Amino acid sequence: MASSDLNLVRGTLDLLVLKALSFGSTHGYAVSQWIRDVTDSALLVEEGSLYPALHRLERRGWVRAEWGVSDTGRRARFYRLTDDGRERLETELDTWRRYSAAIERAVSATEGRT
Amino acid sequence: MARGFRRVFRNPFRSAALEREVVEEHEFHLGEKTKALVDQGIPADEARRRAEADFGPRPRWQREALKERRRSVLRARRTWALLAFRVDLALAVRQLLRRPGFTLGTLAVLSVGVGFGVAVLASVDAVLFRPLPFENEDRVVRLGGVLGPNDGTWVSPADWLDWKDMQRSFSAMAATRGASTPLLEAGADYVPTLRVESAFFRVLRVRPALGRLLDADDDRDDAPFVAVLTHRIWSARFGADPKILGREITLGGHEAAVVGVLPRAFEYVDYPTWGGPERDVFLNDVYRGDRTTRGPGGYFWALALLREGVTIDAAQADMDRVADALAEAYPDLIGEGVEGGPLGIRVSGLRRAVLGDLRGRLLLLGGFVALLLLVVCVNVAGLLLARSLGRSREYAVRASFGASPLQLAREALAEVGLLAVVGGATGIGLAGVGLRVVRAYAPPETVLLDHAHVDGRVALGTALLTLAVWLLAGVLPAWRAGRVDPEAILKAGHRGAPTLRSRLGSGIVVAQLTLVTALVTGAVLLLGTYAAMVTADPGFRVGDVRVLEYRLPTERYATPAGTLADHGATFSNEAVAEQLGGTRVYRIGNEAGAFVAEVTRGLRSVPGVLGVAVTNYPPFWGFRSSYAVRHPNPDEHALESEFGGLYFMKWVSRDYFDVLGVPLLRGRTFSEADGPGDPPVMVVNAEFEDTFLRDVDPIGAVVEVAEAGSLPARTRTLVGVVANTMHGASLEVPAIPIAYVPIAQRADLWAQIQAAFPLTSTFLVRVAPNVDVPTSTLRQVITNLDPTLPVRTATTLRELQDELFGETRFWLVLLASFASFGLVLAAAAMFGLLAQNVRQHTRDIGIRRALGASARDSSTRVIRRALEMLAVGLVLGLVASWYLARILAAQVAEVGGLEVGPIALVVGVLLGTSVAATLIPARWAGRVDPMEVLKAE
């Protein structure tokens, strides 16, 4: 994987994680399964990469974590969005939308300019 | 405390724990995934494998996850610490603001303490550690002779030339020769000058700011006379004139062309002379045509630059070799034959040479400040401790609500820290004032002190000082705050608020009393010395005697008159004759005598003048003759004339003894009949008689004395003995033998071997006590006769005498201020402790009173407690003082030992202070009303 792809993926991953957590507090496994389900496994190739991303968001103060008990009765680390995180999600979404629209316009252009 | 320490610093995010968490989280992920797959009907093994495949390389993700987690933890910890710091600080500020009295008091104590500390720090730094303004300072050494007990004597030119030839240690060597020369320019005055060899500037590695310095051609005897100016005098006297080069300036009777100006940073300090110790003009022609004189009694000081890699010790060994070789070659001149010989050579580092023993004195100063700062620290610690105990209920409540001991300790530290920082900052401000005091009273030889100022280095030192104060003053209260036992305190209720346990509280007061006793002892010892100096009868009149001094320029009032050989001088052997025969001789013209006579006449005619005397030096000083007294016929009178039996030679006019009121003990003083053509006579003081003329009837004795450079040595008939007079700052009044010679019989031929300033005249003018005779009027008499001649004046002899006491006064002022500040602190501490005690024991006192104790008993108990503390402090302090007195005596002249008198005074001062501190608490204790106490129960 070339590094430009990685950056894209990392930025996108943050966005997806924030999005996943916007539905409520949950653990890493659930976040990974949600991303897999909604993207057809296209983005989260290695699930392990989710955790450094989660911790990074945690460090930035967008996500809070605490240990709890999962619905399967096991000890799990639950993540939830902070207010800052919710704001961040909005900005990221906004950026993403403008970005993807721009790319979309570019790739669907029929005529080049000189 | 240890437990609390662990509790606070227990790391909730320790690395192992973090790692466990990461592994557990990943494990949970894999477990859930496997379970989900199994639920989809995939066999367990396969499911686990798929889960792991989807997860990716576990070690990598664990590593990365852990890295992120660690970063978060670090950040959290930083934030936490910052927050805790802010909280502590805010709390400290609030606590301090809540008691402005306490806070201001503590700050005052700290500021003054730190202020003193910084002032002394700046001084010590300037003198000991700041580099001298020369490159290679550590390679520059000073060379001087060693003769008998005299270290650092001057060197003669022929010896010096041999040193230069024979040495192997130096890459450059330069002889110097100092003088204070009248600079006959506008605003004429005496300017400290230094004749130097051209190598001087190479040794010091200076480059000119303007023009050139000296070169080898300037060292030749036939070279024109040239001058290099310091930046200072160039700016002050010549308006920093850029066209100064080539200008002729008149120095003494010489015209010297200015060839260069030194850079601003350059300064050179030599022994103090008229105009101060800093040299302002550097001249060539250090030899003045004489390269042949040999033996003790030269004029040279020398500087040399050590070769790369040569140590001072190695150079000293090298020069010892040179000295031995010379002593062998010229045994009669500088070898064993010379009294006190052979002549040795001393190599000393420049700073040491410039500072002399100042180093020891500055370290002493540092010691005093350390003592004072210790008092301050102990005092502040006591204040804080007392206060933290007053707050123990608050601490106890907070502790029982879960505040950790360390948190409480940290808060206490924050409070002291805040006080120390603010106190340190204001202390720096006060240091400026302190420094001005130090400089104002510093003895004149401490010129480097002029560079003492508060700068980055000193500020850094202050920061360290503040830190030290913080730790010293803060640790104890912090420890106490952390050790609060909530249960005991809360159970005790309002009555049992803990007192400063007697032992700790008394310890703090005793420590201060001990330190202060040492400071007071120092001050008392110096006070005794100073008082003795000021009140000692110098043996002559010091008030109402005005002083005027001038030096006639040798070149104008004396003419070269051949050599010693030309004048038929006799020498002990051929070799000596060969060496000394070429020494230059000057003839002092009649003009000099005529000038003196005219000035005397002029001064006498001023209304209000009762008498005028002329001498070569004021009564405190003299030119020390290094020749012993010889009797013309040793078989007839065995005179004491060992080396060290030195005497001072003074030329005085007839009225000298009258004007100064020196009593005649036997015989007569000088009269009209002791003129130039009459039989040579002399008068001596009692000490001279005791030293040299024991068992001889002095009157009528015929003695041969060398008159500092006069030629030839004359035999004189002793006509009188006068009382001893004080010499220098010495209290041992009769210590110095003096020979008085009538100025009218002063020799008119002077060999250059000895007399430094044959044309120096000091006029002592006695004025009527109730008539105002301005010194300027007297000066006018001289300047009317020669407007170009600079005249130094002093209002009274007392004023000159005071200069001599300057150093002792400096130490006295310093120590007295330290001691009084310390006394105030110790008294305040004692008062505080006793007052608190009385207040907290009101109940006990009341009950005791109810049981029959009298008011007097209660007061007595308080006083007894104070006296117990004082006794312990005094005993410990006096032991410390015993050492202090010895150090003081070694560093400051004339300090007496620790005797009954000073000890009694110290005890008295401390007793008085303690009693003053005790009075109010004792009265409080006596006033406790038993009824009220019982009612309150």
Side-chain angles (χ1 to χ4, degrees), chain A residues 27-29 32-33 36 45-52 54-56 58-59 67 70-72 74-77 79, chain B residues 21-22 24-29 31-33 35-36 51 54-57 60-61 64-66 68-69 71-72 75:
Chain A
H27 46 70
Y29 172 68
S32 72
Q33 292 319 299
R36 269 191 172 244
V45 179
E46 290 185 343
E47 288 168 11
S49 68
L50 176 69
Y51 289 93
L54 272 170
H55 301 324
R56 196 167 53 243
E58 192 183 345
R59 176 158 56 85
W67 287 94
S70 76
D71 42 10
T72 56
R74 292 185 61 186
R75 229 166 80 90
R77 209 161 182 253
Y79 297 84
Chain B
E21 283 198 16
V22 167
E24 185 180 350
E25 191 173 14
H26 292 184
E27 200 53 61
F28 168 78
H29 182 112
E32 291 293 295
K33 180 123 192 179
K35 192 157 163 270
D54 285 347
F55 194 81
R60 176 182 167 196
W61 297 126
E64 294 209 358
L66 195 60
E68 287 293 339
R69 289 287 307 270
R71 277 188 184 172
S72 320
R75 208 180 117 106

Side-chain angles (χ1 to χ4, degrees), chain B residues 410-666:
Chain B
R410 243 188 22 228
E411 276 175 34
L413 265 184
E415 266 187 59
V416 194
L418 200 64
L419 286 171
V421 168
V422 177
T426 43
I428 285 195
L430 281 182
V433 182
L435 218 46
R436 229 168 295 151
V437 173
V438 170
R439 255 188 243 138
Y441 287 96
E445 61 264 35
T446 56
V447 276
L448 289 173
L449 270 183
D450 292 346
H451 299 279
H453 56 273
V454 179
D455 62 1
R457 291 158 60 115
V458 174
L460 184 72
T462 311
L464 292 176
L465 205 71
T466 307
L467 189 71
V469 169
W470 179 30
L471 291 177
L472 278 174
V475 157
L476 201 58
W479 175 69
R480 289 287 301 208
R483 250 192 39 170
V484 156
D485 177 2
E487 222 180 50
I489 290 169
L490 294 178
K491 241 194 248 163
H494 70 280
R495 298 192 315 239
T499 56
L500 195 48
R501 281 308 331 144
S502 345
R503 234 188 312 156
L504 186 56
S506 312
I508 283 174
V509 173
V510 165
Q512 289 180 63
L513 287 171
T514 304
L515 295 165
V516 169
T517 300
L519 283 173
V520 171
T521 308
V524 163
L525 286 177
L526 282 168
L527 183 70
T529 309
Y530 187 66
M533 278 183 174
V534 174
T535 55
D537 176 14
F540 51 83
R541 194 174 282 129
V542 287
D544 300 328
V545 177
R546 308 242 192 283
V547 186
L548 298 106
E549 296 175 281
Y550 63 71
R551 275 174 201 169
L552 292 178
T554 318
E555 291 77 3
R556 206 185 290 168
Y557 288 89
T559 45
T563 62
L564 277 180
D566 298 342
H567 291 276
T570 52
F571 302 100
S572 55
N573 62 38
E574 280 298 304
V576 178
E578 195 178 313
Q579 287 303 324
L580 286 185
T583 303
R584 275 219 209 158
V585 172
Y586 286 89
R587 182 182 300 279
I588 298 169
N590 293 330
E591 297 90 337
F595 190 76
V596 167
E598 222 168 314
V599 171
T600 310
R601 229 184 343 265
L603 291 173
R604 277 217 188 94
S605 68
V606 175
V609 169
L610 298 180
V612 178
V614 194
T615 176
N616 47 346
Y617 293 100
F620 305 102
W621 292 282
F623 194 79
R624 190 170 235 203
S625 170
S626 56
Y627 287 101
V629 187
R630 268 189 306 235
H631 196 276
N633 185 355
D635 300 332
E636 215 169 282
H637 293 296
L639 298 183
E640 296 278 333
S641 76
E642 303 146 15
F643 184 84
L646 294 172
Y647 62 96
F648 280 80
M649 183 89 228
K650 273 181 184 300
W651 313 311
V652 298
S653 64
R654 267 183 297 139
D655 299 333
Y656 182 82
F657 305 104
D658 272 351
V659 166
L660 289 184
V662 179
L664 177 70
L665 302 181
R666 248 168 300 163

Side-chain angles (χ1 to χ4, degrees), chain B residues 284-362:
Chain B
N284 62 340
D285 193 22
V286 71
Y287 292 98
R288 307 199 69 185
D290 177 10
R291 290 173 193 258
T292 51
T293 302
R294 189 179 286 285
Y299 296 110
F300 288 176
W301 273 116
L303 285 190
L305 185 64
L306 288 171
R307 270 180 211 290
E308 203 86 58
V310 175
T311 62
I312 290 182
D313 287 345
Q316 178 67 62
D318 184 32
M319 294 316 283
D320 286 346
R321 173 187 61 81
V322 171
D324 288 349
L326 286 177
E328 206 166 300
Y330 306 100
D332 290 328
L333 268 175
I334 50 181
E336 301 292 345
V338 177
E339 282 165 305
L343 182 68
I345 304 174
R346 172 73 68 234
V347 182
S348 46
L350 185 60
R351 189 180 289 262
R352 165 133 282 179
V354 172
L355 296 181
D357 53 353
L358 200 58
R359 182 193 176 83
R361 284 180 254 175
L362 278 171

